[in-house]
Amino acid sequence: MVRAPPNRCQTGVRARRRREALCYPAAVRAAIVAVGSELLSTDRLDTNSLRITERLERRGVALVAKSVIGDDEPGLERELRRWLAQCELVVVTGAGNGIGRATAHAFAARGARLAICDVDRARVDAVAAELGPRCAHASQVDVGDRPAMAGFAAAVHAVGPVDVLVNNAGVGYQGGVLRASLDDWDHVLRVNLMGVIHGCHYFTPAMAQRGRGHVVNVSSVLGYYPAPGLAPYVVSKFGVLGLTLAMRPELEVKGVRATAICPGLIATGIVDSTRFASFDGKNQARAAKEFRDRGTAPEVVAAAIVGVIGTDTAVRPVARDAWFAYGVSRWMPRLIGDRLGRM
C-alpha cells in the first residue's frame, strides 16, 4: 500500500506569501498603479506586458519571477523529493520540446518515473531516450484527439497509478476575431482547451478514487491578460485557467489538488506551430526572434511546475511579464476592462 505523501499545503502557502511579498511589496504595487494610471490617460495603449514591465523597471521597480524551489530553500526541495519518491507516475503532455521537455527532465532529476506524449514521434522518442530508465512510457499522441487520448490513458494506467498530471501540450495563434476562420478556432480550442479537458477526464477520476494526486494545467499570462489580436489563443487560455479554478473545490474534497501555471514570454519553439492570420513570413520571423531574445528559459517554468506539487497553489505566474499582468489584474482591473476593451 502506498503511503500518503507528506502534506506540503501549509509550507506551500508560506512560500507563496514569501514569493508575493518579493514580487508585490508596497512600492511595487504603487508603481503598478502609477504606470497603469499613466496608461489609462494616454490616447494609445501599449498592450505588450513585457514592454510595460520594462517601463516599470525604468522606475527602479523589479518584478521577481522566483521559483518556489531555489537554492535558498533547501527545506522545500527536500519535502518535494520525499513527496515525489512516493509517487507512482508523472504524466506530461507535449513533452517533445520546450516547457514539456524541461518539465519531464525536472521531475526525472528528482527521482520521478514518467509517462510522456507528444504529437511528434521523433521528438517524444528522443526525450524518452534522454530520460532513460526514468521514462516508463512514451507515445505519439494528439491531445485533441479523444480516442488517441483514451488509448494513451489506458496504456499509462496499465503501467501504474498516476499521481501527477501536467497538461502542457498547446499550439499558438496570432490573429483577432475579424481575421480568425472557424477552422482556426477549431484548431486552437481543440488542442489548447479540449486537450486539457481530455487529460483531466481520463486521469483525474483514478486520482480521486485513490485520494491523492496533483493536476497542473498550463495556461498563460493571456489567461488573465486579454491582449487584443490574439482572440482564439486568449479564449483557450482563459478556458484552461477557468477550468482549473472550477475543478479545485471538487477535487480538493477527494484529496487531489489542481494548479494553473501561467507563463509569460518563454523561449520555446511554439512559434513554429503557430498559425498567423496575416502571414507574410516576416510576422513569424519577428515573433520567433522576440521569443528567442527576450523569452524566459523553459527550465524556469519547469521549476515552477515541479515546485507547486503538493502545495495548495491555485495560480502560479512565471516570468516578469506574467507577474506584472497578474498584479494588474488584481490592483488595476480598469487597465484591462476599460482600455483593452476599447482597443
Side-chain angles (χ1 to χ4, degrees):
M1 182 175 179
V2 179
R3 184 162 53 90
N7 188 338
R8 297 185 66 225
C9 177
Q10 293 304 315
T11 304
V13 169
R14 290 194 296 270
R16 187 169 71 253
R17 286 172 179 166
R18 287 198 301 272
R19 186 170 62 250
E20 286 212 1
L22 282 168
C23 293
Y24 301 124
V28 172
R29 292 199 297 271
I32 287 175
V33 172
V35 170
S37 298
E38 290 175 6
L39 293 169
L40 284 170
S41 66
T42 59
D43 292 332
R44 291 186 58 81
L45 172 62
D46 184 349
T47 59
N48 185 303
S49 59
L50 188 60
R51 288 196 292 269
I52 297 173
T53 304
E54 290 169 350
R55 186 171 180 169
L56 273 174
E57 290 174 346
R58 286 197 295 272
R59 287 171 164 261
V61 173
L63 297 179
V64 180
K66 185 178 187 299
S67 169
V68 175
I69 301 301
D71 295 335
D72 59 335
E73 296 180 279
L76 284 176
E77 176 70 29
R78 284 194 298 270
E79 290 176 20
L80 175 62
R81 286 182 180 272
R82 284 198 297 269
W83 202 99
L84 291 176
Q86 297 173 49
C87 285
E88 296 289 339
L89 279 175
V90 174
V91 172
V92 181
T93 69
N97 67 352
I99 293 172
R101 176 178 176 271
T103 299
H105 278 281
F107 276 111
R110 291 168 173 82
R113 294 171 67 231
L114 287 117
I116 62 174
C117 71
D118 194 271
V119 72
D120 188 303
R121 166 59 71 181
R123 292 192 313 204
V124 75
D125 286 346
V127 174
E130 293 167 2
L131 297 174
R134 288 294 170 192
C135 183
H137 180 82
S139 292
Q140 179 184 16
V141 177
D142 175 357
V143 297
D145 185 322
R146 186 185 303 178
M149 276 297 283
F152 173 63
V156 171
H157 288 311
V159 174
V162 173
D163 285 301
V164 176
L165 168 65
V166 182
N167 285 309
N168 163 73
V171 295
Y173 182 81
Q174 189 276 324
V177 172
L178 298 180
R179 289 184 175 272
S181 68
L182 290 178
D183 286 342
D184 291 332
W185 281 97
D186 286 343
H187 170 70
V188 175
L189 296 180
R190 177 180 175 276
V191 177
N192 290 5
L193 183 55
M194 289 308 302
V196 174
I197 291 171
H198 289 158
C200 293
H201 176 80
Y202 289 116
F203 287 104
T204 57
M207 291 182 178
Q209 188 173 17
R210 294 180 69 217
R212 57 174 287 163
H214 202 130
V215 179
V216 178
N217 294 328
V218 179
S219 178
S220 167
V221 58
L222 299 181
Y224 47 73
Y225 188 86
L230 301 165
Y233 189 80
V234 166
V235 168
S236 71
K237 293 304 182 178
F238 260 75
V240 171
L241 178 57
L243 168 65
T244 308
L245 296 179
M247 64 195 286
R248 277 173 54 83
E250 181 181 356
L251 294 181
E252 183 180 15
V253 297
K254 300 292 187 180
V256 180
R257 297 188 176 100
T259 301
I261 298 291
C262 297
L265 192 69
I266 307 298
T268 70
I270 192 172
V271 175
D272 298 333
S273 63
T274 295
R275 288 190 181 185
F276 289 81
S278 55
F279 182 74
D280 60 5
K282 295 180 180 179
N283 289 354
Q284 186 171 16
R286 282 195 299 267
K289 186 177 188 304
E290 182 168 21
F291 273 72
R292 182 177 61 253
D293 295 348
R294 305 174 74 182
T296 299
E299 288 75 16
V300 175
V301 186
I305 291 172
V306 173
V308 300
I309 299 302
T311 75
D312 196 36
T313 303
V315 180
R316 173 66 163 93
V318 183
R320 55 184 184 154
D321 54 322
W323 279 111
F324 165 77
Y326 191 58
V328 166
S329 71
R330 296 181 64 181
W331 294 301
M332 284 293 293
R334 278 191 59 210
L335 185 59
I336 293 176
D338 288 3
R339 291 309 303 272
L340 293 190
R342 293 203 299 267
M343 288 296 290

